[in-house]
Amino acid sequence: MPVSHQLSQRAHFSGPQPISELMRLALVRPELISLAAGFVDQETLPVEATREALQSVLADIPRGRAALQYGTNAGYAPLREAVLARFLAADGDQAGPLPSVDQVILTAGSNQLLHLLGDVLLDPGDLVICAAPTYFVFLGMLASVGARSVGVAIDEQGMIGEALDEELARRHEAGELARVKAIYVTSYFENPSTVTLSLERRAELVEIAKRWSRQATIYVIDDAAYRPLRYTGPDLPSLRSFDTTGDTVIVAETFSKSFSPGVRVGWGILPTELVGPVAALKGNIDFGSPHLNQHLMAAVLERGLFEPHVAALQKSYAKKLAAMLDALDEYLAGIPGVRWRRPTGGLYVWLELPDGLDAGPSGTLIQHAMDEGVIYVPGEYCYPAEGEPRRVNTIRLSFGVQSPENIRRGIAALGKAIRAA
Ligand SMILES: Cc1ncc(COP(=O)(O)O)c(C=O)c1O
């Protein structure tokens, strides 16, 4: 008798990541210029700094042995202290209590933290409010735990406070307020919209979350993955710095974009109430993320290898961004209805196309683009399932991976494809 393979309800919630097909295409058709994947620049990956740091860990036999042993669930204490000290130095004053090192947890990339938060906070049917558009991997994570994503409109300053307030009021009227568990923002150079949440909006969003935390806390997840990748203008303090009670904002950060995604070291600064539940869950998953990598990152910081690397990255990415913006000005500026923002950091440019032009996987543009030799991420993947409507006439372009010459060629090809479509 055939045996049926019964998967869990959770397995059925999870679909494949929408861009896996694009990644596959980029691999099987290497002639295509991929402006799709949000990978970091291969050429700038810090092989020498990593070698020096790793050698310093392994040159000292007891330290090397300690690094090769299991670590603690929360992660290597000196690295937790170092990331916290850096966070506080970057932020300046905190409106509420200073976070302590006990609230810092190291994870396998910040995606692991986002996933842990999903598991700790969300039951099927719970709601998370996001910017529309937002980071599509986060949307996939929400779907995988059966949660519902709700999009709120953005403008040049990021998520619009009034729109967020209205969305929460609607959920309250519908008797769903208790199901709203979190508001998710990528507050620096949002992937994909490229917008940085303004200073006023940072304060406003935290205030709104607190005001609507009537039955239970509505957490604000501040995903600061791109904070170090700023090419012009001053840094802004994180949302945590506006959290007057320190129990609302969750900080998610990572060394993936600023150093190496291959080392997979990310971290969270959690409100005290979440430390126990997140640690308990993590303890049941891996009881600590890769310890050697945490020692490596601690050595990178200790030896002063991080700052020069970030400075070099900023310079290199600034050039690539300029190449993309110049090419857009040259090849796309004349096309009616095509618009884009000029980001000051991050890895992306967000393009809005004429109304009615479908840039999605089954639309007309993508085929023309591939015929011309370029691929991009359809913007529709980045829209939450509910709330602000999905816009199919949008695309995300990434300038991280390609050389300035290829970026130019890719944008020229895209210009032709848009005209043809
Ligand atoms: C907004 C955002 N958050 C988090 C991540 C995850 O990074 P990691 O898990 O490598 O730390 C990414 C990666 O692209 C991202 O764009």
Side-chain angles (χ1 to χ4, degrees), residues 252-272:
E253 290 208 48
T254 176
F255 286 118
S256 284
K257 309 295 173 184
S258 56
F259 195 77
S260 152
V263 302
R264 306 244 21 82
V265 176
W267 65 96
I269 304 177
L270 307 173
T272 314

Side-chain angles (χ1 to χ4, degrees), residues 94-351:
Q94 299 282 310
L98 285 186
S100 82
V101 72
D102 299 335
Q103 292 167 259
V104 180
I105 186 161
L106 301 179
T107 50
S110 52
N111 265 316
Q112 191 194 30
L113 177 73
L114 297 176
H115 197 256
L116 288 167
L117 292 170
D119 267 341
V120 159
L121 296 176
L122 302 172
D123 288 313
D126 281 348
L127 299 163
V128 175
I129 296 183
C130 309
T134 193
Y135 177 40
F136 53 79
V137 176
F138 184 73
L139 294 176
M141 184 283 288
L142 294 181
S144 77
V145 296
R148 294 153 64 195
S149 54
V150 181
V152 163
I154 62 163
D155 62 16
E156 301 312 304
Q157 295 188 64
M159 191 184 279
I160 300 170
E162 245 171 41
L164 172 63
D165 214 19
E166 284 165 11
E167 185 60 53
L168 287 163
R170 269 196 296 277
R171 298 295 166 177
H172 178 54
E173 267 160 40
E176 289 186 321
L177 188 61
R179 304 223 69 170
V180 179
K181 298 291 183 67
I183 299 161
Y184 170 77
V185 275
T186 302
S187 56
Y188 302 88
F189 323 113
E190 171 130 37
N191 170 7
S193 71
T194 74
V195 168
T196 290
L197 199 64
S198 70
L199 201 61
E200 298 72 30
R201 290 275 172 87
R202 285 166 192 260
E204 190 184 8
L205 254 53
V206 176
E207 183 277 319
I208 292 172
K210 286 182 183 294
R211 183 154 44 77
W212 285 100
S213 294
R214 296 182 185 174
Q215 284 132 309
T217 304
I218 298 174
Y219 290 101
V220 177
I221 303 173
D222 183 7
D223 181 342
Y226 296 91
R227 185 172 186 178
L229 297 190
R230 173 180 284 282
Y231 316 132
T232 44
D235 186 29
L236 291 177
S238 75
L239 275 82
R240 174 63 171 74
S241 72
F242 298 96
D243 187 349
T244 47
T245 42
D247 57 0
T248 300
V249 177
I250 302 166
V251 179
E253 290 208 48
T254 176
F255 286 118
S256 284
K257 309 295 173 184
S258 56
F259 195 77
S260 152
V263 302
R264 306 244 21 82
V265 176
W267 65 96
I269 304 177
L270 307 173
T272 314
E273 294 71 16
L274 290 182
V275 171
V278 169
L281 181 64
K282 187 164 168 53
N284 286 317
I285 293 172
D286 61 5
F287 41 94
S289 296
H291 197 208
L292 177 63
N293 300 21
Q294 298 173 5
H295 273 265
L296 162 67
M297 286 316 303
V300 165
L301 298 179
E302 275 161 28
R303 301 178 77 81
L305 298 167
F306 184 68
E307 282 74 14
H309 178 67
V310 172
L313 268 190
Q314 288 167 335
K315 226 168 130 186
S316 160
Y317 283 137
K319 261 196 210 140
K320 291 183 180 217
L321 170 60
M324 186 169 275
L325 292 174
D326 286 350
L328 287 166
D329 286 340
E330 186 172 340
Y331 297 109
L332 269 70
I335 310 177
V338 179
R339 285 176 303 168
W340 59 92
R341 296 194 178 90
R342 305 184 85 83
T344 51
L347 291 178
Y348 311 102
V349 173
W350 179 247
L351 217 58

Side-chain angles (χ1 to χ4, degrees), residues 22 25-26 29-37 324 327-328 331-332 351 359 364-378 395-399 402 405-419:
L22 287 169
L25 263 180
R29 291 190 52 193
E31 78 283 4
L32 291 177
I33 297 178
S34 174
L35 301 177
M324 186 169 275
L328 287 166
Y331 297 109
L332 269 70
L351 217 58
T364 45
L365 180 63
I366 199 137
Q367 201 50 53
H368 283 291
M370 284 198 279
D371 292 345
E372 294 294 340
V374 65
I375 50 172
Y376 58 81
V377 171
I395 68 183
R396 187 193 80 173
L397 298 170
S398 170
F399 56 83
Q402 302 292 345
E405 298 72 46
N406 270 354
I407 289 172
R408 215 181 138 69
R409 285 176 41 221
I411 297 296
L414 183 65
K416 279 193 199 156
I418 294 172
R419 287 177 203 275

